[in-house]
């Protein structure tokens, strides 16, 4: 059952990527998103913008476009994907721990085995940029949530 859910999760991510234009993130209704629109009209650094593209293509299907752990595929997963808007939790994680989690997947860091490994798919810079972008979710919320 767990393998089936992981397969469905990966398949949904692949379908999402293949349906979007390469390098152009889109909302769930297929509309193109600019970095400023996606970040709530805040200014993103170059690294955060690049990380946003990685996040939308590979992470949003489970973690949600706003990082709340409520992506399209989240209802299939137990445990539920992490909520990146929880600023207290995000402050407790180092950038190296986030990098390791993305690179090695949930099983590699003794977390959910349903989170795939991205180290063979994404470059080191793409993962570092994704970490930078993940930090923007917590900056947009109040401490503790």
């Amino acid at each position: 059952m767990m393998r089936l859910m992981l397969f469905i999760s990966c398949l949904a991510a692949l379908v999402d990527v293949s349906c979007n234009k390469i390098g152009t993130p889109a909302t769930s209704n297929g509309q193109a998103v600019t970095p400023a629109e996606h970040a709530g009209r805040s200014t993103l650094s170059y690294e955060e913008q690049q990380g946003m593209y990685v996040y939308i293509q590979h992470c949003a299907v489970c973690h949600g476009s706003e990082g709340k752990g409520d992506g399209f595929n989240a209802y299939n997963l137990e445990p539920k994907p992490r909520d990146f808007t929880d600023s207290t939790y995000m402050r407790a994680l180092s950038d190296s721990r986030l990098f390791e989690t993305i690179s090695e997947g949930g099983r590699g860091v003794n977390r959910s085995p349903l989170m795939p490994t991205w180290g063979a798919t994404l470059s080191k810079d793409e993962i570092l940029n994704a970490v930078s972008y993940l930090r923007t979710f917590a900056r947009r919320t109040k401490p503790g949530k």
Side-chain angles (χ1 to χ4, degrees):
M1 183 66 172
M2 190 179 289
R3 287 183 186 179
L4 177 61
M5 289 189 317
L6 181 58
F7 173 76
I8 291 170
S9 173
C10 292
L11 183 60
L14 289 173
V15 168
D16 183 56
V17 171
S18 65
C19 291
N20 292 323
K21 293 179 183 174
I22 300 299
T24 305
T27 61
S28 59
N29 66 4
Q31 298 296 316
V33 175
T34 66
E37 289 170 336
H38 192 270
R41 303 270 184 234
S42 66
T43 303
L44 296 176
S45 69
Y46 174 79
E47 290 79 11
E48 291 165 347
Q49 288 178 29
Q50 297 307 305
M52 182 192 73
Y53 298 129
V54 170
Y55 179 86
I56 290 174
Q57 287 184 331
H58 300 287
C59 311
V61 69
C62 293
H63 291 281
S65 62
E66 296 178 14
K68 295 179 180 178
D70 61 353
F72 170 79
N73 202 39
Y75 75 94
N76 290 319
L77 305 174
E78 192 59 49
K80 298 298 179 199
R82 182 61 64 192
D83 178 353
F84 300 128
T85 65
D86 182 344
S87 59
T88 301
Y89 177 79
M90 291 301 288
R91 274 196 309 273
L93 293 175
S94 67
D95 287 353
S96 61
R97 178 64 172 186
L98 288 171
F99 183 97
E100 180 182 28
T101 303
I102 295 167
S103 181
E104 297 180 18
R107 188 179 309 273
V109 293
N110 296 319
R111 299 307 239 178
S112 173
L114 300 177
M115 181 179 167
T117 62
W118 293 106
T121 304
L122 302 173
S123 71
K124 179 180 177 182
D125 286 341
E126 287 173 317
I127 296 173
L128 289 170
N129 291 339
V131 168
S132 294
Y133 183 66
L134 290 179
R135 295 289 184 199
T136 69
F137 291 118
R139 288 197 312 246
R140 291 181 256 153
T141 59
K142 295 178 182 176
K145 188 64 179 174

